[in-house]
Amino acid sequence: PCRFLLYSGPLFWTEEGFRFSWRVMLMEKNGMISFRVQDTVSGQEWIEYPESYLTPLQCKMMSTQPDMIIQYASFLKSQYRLKGHDVSVFALDSFVSLNGRPSRLFISPDIDLTSQGTFTPKRSILAQY
């Protein structure tokens, strides 16, 4: 009930503090996302699809929840670190539909997702309903 003191923005769109809210069963979100991984030294880029590492259910859940998107971006960074690359991870295509409305761009493609904290307000969330 005190979520508004910590996070601004519409609860159902940003989901910041959503798991601590009273209204957790009042919305439906569907989405999709892919990632652009860029080597910070060479500039080489790769495209990553969540299906490479996640189950279909995990992909569905992650693609609409900003905190999970950021955690997955951190996971990708750690996978590339094991291969000897220092990378930044960006959302390539991130579209979400809320309660049956048309899909909208959800995550900014210009912000390195690995630079954001899990519990801090998400600067990468775009277009609010």
Side-chain angles (χ1 to χ4, degrees):
C2 296
R3 172 213 172 265
F4 70 93
L5 296 172
L6 300 173
Y7 303 106
S8 63
L11 172 67
F12 295 143
W13 185 248
T14 67
E15 293 196 32
E16 294 179 311
F18 180 70
R19 291 176 189 87
F20 304 106
S21 118
W22 292 101
R23 299 178 288 167
V24 295
M25 299 298 286
L26 298 177
M27 65 101 169
E28 178 184 347
K29 279 172 97 173
N30 294 300
M32 50 94 42
I33 189 168
S34 58
F35 297 88
R36 178 175 59 90
V37 180
Q38 182 177 30
D39 189 297
T40 58
V41 177
S42 70
Q44 184 177 3
E45 292 186 352
W46 301 269
I47 296 175
E48 287 286 346
Y49 299 97
E51 294 83 3
S52 300
Y53 294 100
L54 302 177
T55 67
L57 178 60
Q58 290 171 327
C59 289
K60 179 181 178 179
M61 300 299 288
M62 184 270 301
S63 65
T64 63
Q65 298 181 28
D67 57 335
M68 289 186 182
I69 291 171
I70 289 171
Q71 290 174 4
Y72 185 75
S74 296
F75 166 77
L76 286 176
K77 183 173 183 137
S78 68
Q79 293 300 302
Y80 277 84
R81 188 176 294 131
L82 293 172
K83 299 175 187 177
H85 298 282
D86 181 31
V87 299
S88 297
V89 180
F90 304 89
L92 180 61
D93 290 313
S94 174
F95 290 91
V96 168
S97 169
L98 176 63
N99 291 333
R101 296 181 187 139
S103 293
R104 295 184 69 175
L105 188 62
F106 186 49
I107 302 293
S108 171
D110 303 322
I111 295 177
D112 178 7
L113 298 173
T114 62
S115 68
Q116 295 193 43
T118 302
F119 296 105
T120 58
K122 310 298 183 280
R123 300 175 330 217
S124 59
I125 301 172
L126 294 176
Q128 300 179 7
Y129 273 97

